[in-house]
């Protein structure tokens, strides 16, 4: 089985399960899908990719809260909020100098989810984290399925070629 097809199958199945889990646990389904996206987009795979996408997504939640609370210090000074946003965006990028925080899109995914969730960081964080685990499961179960289907079909393909 082709890898993309295998990942599509497992992602489809686990996406349906995620939808049920999110509703059952009172989580935000779209935030969980952003967690899945962060894992899929991370250039590192496996557990290291899961850790990097988790750390960067959580740092994004932190940075968003810095902007939200910092901008609220003096609401009449809208310029302060813009300057703070620029400074924090710079920090979100510069933190990528650290290996475990090197996935900048993960940081922005966490921040955007926090803004979209109205700053409800505890709920956003849990939804992102569970989504990250689902993303890990989606991709890695698809890779496992593709490898298994390849091994199962290989002996048959070899026998067919020797019979010909």
């Amino acid at each position: 089985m082709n890898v993309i097809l295998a990942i599509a199958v497992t992602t489809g199945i686990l996406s349906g399960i995620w939808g049920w889990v999110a509703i059952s646990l009172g989580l935000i389904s779209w935030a969980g899908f952003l967690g899945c996206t962060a894992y899929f987009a991370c250039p590192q795979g496996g557990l290291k990719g899961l850790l990097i996408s988790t750390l960067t997504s959580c740092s994004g939640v932190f940075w968003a809260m810095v902007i939200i609370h910092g901008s609220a210090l003096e609401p009449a000074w809208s310029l302060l909020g813009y300057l703070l946003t620029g400074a924090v965006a710079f920090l979100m990028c510069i933190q990528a100098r650290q290996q475990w925080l090197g996935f900048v899109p993960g940081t922005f995914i966490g921040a955007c989810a926090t803004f979209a969730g109205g700053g409800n960081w505890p709920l956003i964080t849990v939804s992102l984290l569970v989504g990250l685990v689902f993303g890990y499961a989606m991709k890695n179960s698809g890779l496992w399925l593709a490898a298994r289907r390849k091994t199962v079909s290989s002996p048959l393909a070899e026998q067919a070629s020797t019979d010909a």
Side-chain angles (χ1 to χ4, degrees):
M1 176 181 289
N2 156 326
V3 172
I4 297 295
L5 178 59
I7 291 174
V9 167
T10 59
T11 297
I13 292 167
L14 289 172
S15 290
I17 293 171
W18 162 246
W20 174 77
V21 167
I23 296 301
S24 298
L25 298 178
L27 300 175
I28 302 173
S29 62
W30 59 260
F33 277 115
L34 286 175
C36 292
T37 301
Y39 178 76
F40 269 93
C42 187
Q44 287 286 331
L47 290 174
K48 184 175 182 181
L50 179 60
L51 182 58
I52 289 171
S53 53
T54 298
L55 292 172
T56 56
S57 294
C58 288
S59 76
V61 171
F62 167 78
W63 289 121
M65 294 309 295
V66 168
I67 293 170
I68 289 168
H69 289 295
S71 298
L73 289 175
E74 188 53 64
W77 297 353
S78 57
L79 183 61
L80 174 66
Y82 304 138
L83 292 172
L84 183 60
T85 299
V88 168
F90 170 82
L91 294 171
M92 288 168 64
C93 292
I94 204 71
Q95 79 177 13
R97 294 173 58 185
Q98 302 301 313
Q99 177 186 1
W100 296 103
L101 297 172
F103 178 49
V104 175
T107 306
F108 278 87
I109 287 170
C112 289
T114 306
F115 290 129
N120 186 353
W121 68 268
L123 183 57
I124 293 296
T125 302
V126 172
S127 299
L128 278 170
L129 292 174
V130 176
L132 281 158
V133 171
F134 266 85
Y136 175 85
M138 289 170 184
K139 185 173 183 181
N140 289 289
S141 63
L143 293 172
W144 173 85
L145 179 61
R148 178 152 170 79
R149 297 295 297 168
K150 184 177 180 183
T151 353
V152 169
S153 64
S154 289
L156 295 176
E158 289 174 19
Q159 182 179 5
S161 67
T162 56
D163 291 343

